[in-house]
Amino acid sequence: MRLRLQLTGWDRRTLTLTDTPRPDCPLCDGHGGLAYDYGDHNGEYAGTEWDPCNCWDETRRWTLLRLPRIRRRRRADRDPWSNEPPF
């Protein structure tokens, strides 16, 4: 198991400890899975599928710290819809 720190979330940012793929894996070359393109019944490109490799578990994660929300205060004396320069 190879661990790394990761910042996750948009609404509530969290610092998590996650597992990473083995860099010397012969199946995925350290990418964590295999991506392959597929087509529809006409042979046209329809998308890309991702199959995770067995060298890591992408659901293995531990929450370390929930970060506080940063609220930006607006100045009351400045009109947010004004097109005048702020100086």
Side-chain angles (χ1 to χ4, degrees):
M1 178 178 359
R2 297 174 48 90
L3 300 174
R4 69 178 173 141
L5 291 174
Q6 184 178 16
L7 188 62
T8 58
W10 288 100
D11 57 344
R12 183 64 184 209
R13 296 172 59 118
T14 306
L15 191 63
T16 58
L17 190 63
T18 61
D19 189 17
T20 58
R22 279 193 358 234
D24 58 347
C25 178
L27 297 175
C28 68
D29 292 328
H31 296 289
L34 303 170
Y36 59 92
D37 299 332
Y38 65 93
D40 59 5
H41 64 280
N42 293 331
E44 297 289 324
Y45 173 77
T48 303
E49 284 289 327
W50 172 263
D51 289 334
C53 186
N54 294 332
C55 70
W56 74 299
D57 183 9
E58 59 187 331
T59 61
R60 186 182 299 165
R61 62 185 66 212
W62 298 274
T63 300
L64 296 178
L65 179 66
R66 294 189 187 273
L67 300 175
R69 293 181 182 162
I70 298 174
R71 297 184 189 252
R72 298 177 190 229
R73 296 182 182 169
R74 294 187 183 260
R75 291 179 28 196
D77 60 336
R78 185 169 171 245
D79 182 15
W81 302 105
S82 175
N83 59 0
E84 296 179 10
F87 47 87

